[in-house]
Amino acid sequence: MSLGIHPPNEFERLAALRRYQILDTPPDGAFDRIASVAARIFDVPIALVSLVDHDRIWFKARHGLSIPQVDRDPGLCASVILKDETYVVNDARFDLRTLANPLVAGELGLRFYAAAPLHTHDGHNLGTLCVMDFQPRQITQGQTSTLEDLAATVVNEMELRLAARQVAENAQRLELLNELMHIATSTLDKDEAFSRIEEQLKQLINYDRFSVALRPPGTDYLEMHAVAPESRKTFAEGAPPSLDTPMGEAILTGRPFIRRTSKEFTYPLEFEMHQAGGYNSAMFVPLRSKGRILGSVNLGSNRENNFSENELEIAQKIAEHMSVVVENAILYEESKQSEEALRRLNKQLEEANRHKSEFLANLSHELRTPLNAILGASELLGDNVFGPLNGKQAEYIVDIHDAGEHLLSLINDVLDLSKIEAGKLELQLEGFSLRLLMERSSAIVRERAVGKSLEFSVFPPAGDVVIEADERKVKQVVYNLLSNAVKFTPEHGKVVFSASLDDDRVVFSVEDTGPGIAPEVSEHIFHDFVRGPGQQEGTGLGLALSKRLVELHGGSIWLESQPGSGSRFFFSIPFGTAR
C-alpha cells in the first residue's frame, strides 16, 4: 500500500481529531495500561496507541518504545487509517505492502505488525492500537477480535474525557448565554449592548475581528457597528458597504456561512481586508427577528480554518440575542413617535423574557442528558461492573462522579429558576413544626412592627403540631402577608397572626387594623400586578404568587375586609401525612 495517501475525508478526520484535544497531552495511566495489556496478550516487545496528525504520528501511549512520535509518511499507522479493518503484516520481508518501508528495511527491522484503527462513532479513523515484533508471527481470529476490542476501549476512554469536558463547557456556555439574554433585555442602546455582548462572546469563540452590520429598512447599504480597530479604516473611507459583500450575502439569503480560508473569498471587500493583512478566515451570521433579516454578525480571524461548525451554531444563538437588542432599539425609536410603538416595545420585552425561560429550561434538560450518561457510566465503573479497578482508576472515577453530582446540582438550580418563571415549580414536601414556623416568620417582621409601635401578637395552636408541606414556600406566603399587614397598619395599630386546626387542614390568619380594602379591589387583589390601596411601590405580584404557592399545596387563600375596618387574610393547607 502506498505511503503518503490520505483518506478522502482527511479534512473532516483531522477536525474530529482536534475535537478530542488529546494531541500533545501528558501521559495518561488509562491509555498506558491498555498498551501494556496489548503487549502482554500478544507477547510482543512493542505496543502503541498512535494518533495520525497531518504531518506526524504521535504516540499517546507507548510500551517498549522511547520516541514520542514519527513522521507520518514512513509510519505504518498512516496506512491503517485508510480502511476500517484490522491491518496485519505477518512477515514484513515478504509483504508487498511493507517490503520497502524504511521501518522494515532499515535499522529498526520490524517483521510483525498488527493494528486496529481507532474508529469514532461518526466514522473517522483517528489512529491505531498497534503491536509490533522483530520476529515474524501469526495471529488468530480471536486475537484479532481482542485487538479490535482494545482499540474500541481506547476510543471509549477518549469519548469519556470529551463528554466530561463538554459538560463543563456547556455549563459555562449556559451561564454566558444567560448573561447575554440579560444584556439583550436590559439596554436599548445598540452600541453599548454590542460591546457588552462581544465581551461575553470572546469566552465562547476564538476570533480576532468583530463587527455588526445593520441594514436600514428599504435601503441597499449597511451601517457598521462595533467594528474592530483593524477594520475601521476600511469602513470609514468612502461610501457605506453595500449588499455586494459577505455581510450582504448573509442578510439577503438569511443563511449563515464560514469562509475557511482566503481561497474561498469572493467579494472585493474580502480581498481588500485580506491584502491589508491578518484576515484569513471569517464567519457571517444573519440577525433574524420576526421573519425579517435586520443585519449580520461578522467574525474574522488571522488564522485559516479557525471556525468550526459548532462555533457557527454558538454564533447563531448569540445572533438571536443580538436580534433582540436591534429589535428593541428599533421599537424604542418608534416609541418616541407614538404610544403604539411603546406598547410594541413592552410586548417585545415580554417575549424576550419568555424566550429566556424556555431557553433555560430546554438547555438545562439538554445538559442533563450527557451528564446523566457520565454519572451512570462512572457508577458502573465504580461498582466494578466491567472488572476491578486499580486505586488510581477508582480515585478518578470518584472524582468524575463527584464533579458530575455538583454540576447536576447547579443545573437543577437553574432549572428551578426557569420553572418559577414558567409556573412549573414543584414542591419539596417535608415535616416541620407549625409553632416554630410561625415564631421564625414573625421574628422577621417583628422589628418593623416595634418601630411603628404596633401591637404584634402570635397565637399558634396548642401543642407541637407537625405538618407536611414545603416549609420554605409556606414561610414565603406567611412573610408576604405579615409584611403587608405591618406596612399598611398605621402607628399604634394592631397585627394578629394566628393558626387553627380544622379537620385535616391548618388555617392561618393575619389580621390588621389598617385602612381596609374596598370590595371592588378585593375581588382582584390576588391577580397579577394588582397593588393594595395607596400602594405606589412593589411589583403587585406578592399576593398573586402567594395564591399560586397555596394552591400548589392543594389549599386556598381568601380575604375579609371593609374600608375603615382593617383586613383579615386567611389561607389553609392540608396537614399532609404528619400531624
Side-chain angles (χ1 to χ4, degrees):
M1 186 173 295
S2 301
L3 296 173
I5 299 176
H6 291 181
N9 62 343
E10 178 67 0
F11 182 86
E12 292 79 9
R13 191 194 70 82
L14 288 173
L17 179 59
R18 300 290 186 273
R19 177 179 68 208
Y20 291 92
Q21 298 183 20
I22 192 173
L23 290 173
D24 299 312
T25 54
D28 188 310
F31 295 105
D32 291 341
R33 280 187 290 275
I34 293 173
S36 297
V37 168
R40 284 200 305 272
I41 291 175
F42 288 89
D43 191 24
V44 294
I46 300 175
L48 305 171
V49 174
S50 70
L51 297 166
V52 181
D53 200 359
H54 68 99
D55 62 350
R56 60 172 177 160
I57 299 173
W58 181 76
F59 305 132
K60 175 59 185 173
R62 54 186 189 272
H63 176 90
L65 192 66
S66 59
I67 57 175
Q69 64 184 38
V70 296
D71 291 340
R72 176 165 175 167
D73 275 352
L76 294 171
C77 300
S79 299
V80 179
I81 66 170
L82 297 175
K83 293 187 176 181
D84 295 337
E85 60 193 35
T86 299
Y87 186 97
V88 179
V89 177
N90 296 310
D91 190 339
R93 295 172 301 175
F94 305 107
D95 194 309
L96 294 178
R97 298 172 298 176
T98 58
L99 186 61
N101 190 288
L103 300 178
V104 176
E107 183 179 348
L108 187 61
L110 285 180
R111 294 294 177 262
F112 168 76
Y113 176 84
L118 302 180
H119 191 73
T120 66
H121 65 88
D122 51 351
H124 298 294
N125 293 332
L126 305 185
T128 73
L129 172 65
C130 62
V131 291
M132 307 179 191
D133 199 349
F134 304 112
Q135 303 296 328
R137 302 177 62 92
Q138 299 288 330
I139 63 172
T140 66
Q141 182 59 44
Q143 288 176 312
T144 299
S145 298
T146 299
L147 189 63
E148 292 169 352
D149 289 342
L150 289 174
T153 303
V154 171
V155 176
N156 289 340
E157 289 286 341
M158 294 169 60
E159 293 286 357
L160 181 62
R161 285 157 176 75
L162 174 62
R165 189 176 68 252
Q166 287 176 336
V167 168
E169 291 174 350
N170 285 341
Q172 179 194 24
R173 189 173 301 159
L174 172 63
E175 180 180 352
L176 291 176
L177 290 177
N178 187 35
E179 176 62 21
L180 291 175
M181 177 57 78
H182 171 71
I183 293 171
T185 57
S186 64
T187 180
L188 296 171
D189 187 315
K190 295 192 296 292
D191 292 319
E192 176 191 350
F194 293 157
S195 177
R196 291 171 59 189
I197 287 174
E198 185 189 5
E199 292 177 3
Q200 302 296 322
L201 182 60
K202 287 179 179 177
Q203 302 182 53
L204 296 173
I205 301 177
N206 182 25
Y207 62 89
D208 299 301
R209 304 186 186 201
F210 171 86
S211 66
V212 179
L214 300 180
R215 180 189 185 186
T219 69
D220 291 329
Y221 66 88
L222 303 176
E223 295 178 350
M224 301 303 299
H225 296 263
V227 178
E230 298 86 348
S231 305
R232 286 174 185 165
K233 183 178 180 180
T234 301
F235 294 114
E237 297 177 350
S242 69
L243 294 176
D244 188 28
T245 57
M247 303 87 75
E249 179 180 337
I251 294 170
L252 293 174
T253 65
R255 178 182 59 86
F257 59 91
I258 295 174
R259 296 278 201 254
R260 301 190 184 279
T261 71
S262 58
K263 295 179 181 179
E264 298 180 3
F265 293 166
T266 58
Y267 294 96
L269 179 64
E270 293 179 293
F271 293 116
E272 179 182 350
M273 296 180 66
H274 175 63
Q275 291 172 358
Y279 184 77
N280 294 298
S281 60
M283 177 161 56
F284 303 91
V285 179
L287 292 171
R288 188 190 309 271
S289 177
K290 298 180 179 178
R292 60 192 180 116
I293 308 298
L294 306 176
S296 68
V297 181
N298 321 299
L299 302 179
S301 174
N302 299 336
R303 297 164 297 281
E304 294 192 344
N305 298 312
N306 183 69
F307 301 108
S308 66
E309 293 297 328
N310 182 54
E311 289 174 323
L312 184 62
E313 293 180 7
I314 294 173
Q316 289 177 265
K317 286 183 169 53
I318 303 300
E320 292 176 8
H321 305 320
M322 298 184 73
S323 297
V324 175
V325 172
V326 177
E327 185 69 21
N328 287 348
I330 293 173
L331 291 176
Y332 177 64
E333 293 168 358
E334 292 175 350
S335 71
K336 295 177 181 178
Q337 305 299 323
S338 68
E339 184 178 352
E340 176 63 24
L342 180 59
R343 285 196 292 267
R344 289 173 56 195
L345 173 63
N346 290 333
K347 183 179 179 180
Q348 175 68 13
L349 291 173
E350 292 170 2
E351 182 179 354
N353 284 328
R354 179 176 63 82
H355 284 317
K356 173 185 175 183
S357 298
E358 294 173 354
F359 170 76
L360 287 174
N362 292 337
L363 190 54
S364 295
H365 283 299
E366 290 297 322
L367 285 173
R368 276 181 166 180
T369 300
L371 183 55
N372 284 331
I374 291 174
L375 288 173
S378 63
E379 288 175 356
L380 292 174
L381 291 171
D383 292 338
N384 296 321
V385 172
F386 303 109
L389 305 175
N390 61 37
K392 204 64 178 179
Q393 288 174 319
E395 179 183 347
Y396 286 155
I397 289 300
V398 171
D399 290 343
I400 291 172
H401 190 271
D402 290 347
E405 290 286 0
H406 174 66
L407 185 56
L408 183 60
S409 175
L410 295 178
I411 292 172
N412 287 336
D413 290 343
V414 174
L415 190 56
D416 284 343
L417 173 62
S418 66
K419 286 182 177 179
I420 290 174
E421 295 180 348
K424 299 178 181 179
L425 179 66
E426 295 182 0
L427 301 178
Q428 304 297 319
L429 302 179
E430 58 183 352
F432 58 91
S433 167
L434 180 57
R435 178 182 295 273
L436 285 178
L437 176 130
M438 295 180 67
E439 291 174 354
R440 291 170 179 170
S441 301
S442 302
I444 301 176
V445 299
R446 188 179 297 277
E447 183 176 350
R448 277 186 287 159
V450 171
K452 295 180 68 174
S453 301
L454 301 181
E455 180 183 344
F456 188 84
S457 305
V458 181
F459 298 105
D464 189 14
V465 178
V466 176
I467 66 174
E468 186 181 57
D470 189 321
E471 183 178 9
R472 189 170 68 87
K473 301 301 185 298
V474 174
K475 187 181 294 184
Q476 185 176 353
V477 175
V478 169
Y479 172 75
N480 190 21
L481 297 181
L482 288 176
S483 179
N484 285 344
V486 171
K487 180 190 299 184
F488 295 111
T489 300
E491 292 186 354
H492 307 291
K494 183 178 180 180
V495 174
V496 179
F497 176 31
S498 61
S500 60
L501 309 182
D502 182 13
D503 294 331
D504 63 341
R505 311 176 79 81
V506 56
V507 181
F508 296 86
S509 168
V510 176
E511 183 178 5
D512 64 59
T513 57
I517 302 174
E520 61 268 23
V521 178
S522 297
E523 63 184 16
H524 302 295
I525 197 68
F526 295 107
H527 292 177
D528 292 347
F529 307 110
V530 175
R531 298 187 178 96
Q535 185 180 359
Q536 299 300 320
E537 55 186 23
T539 62
L541 291 174
L543 291 176
L545 179 58
S546 297
K547 181 174 184 291
R548 291 190 178 100
L549 292 176
V550 169
E551 290 174 347
L552 279 174
H553 282 85
S556 57
I557 186 169
W558 66 96
L559 165 67
E560 294 178 0
S561 180
Q562 288 294 330
S565 300
S567 302
R568 191 174 185 185
F569 283 85
F570 298 87
F571 75 94
S572 68
I573 59 174
F575 278 103
T577 59
R579 184 72 184 254

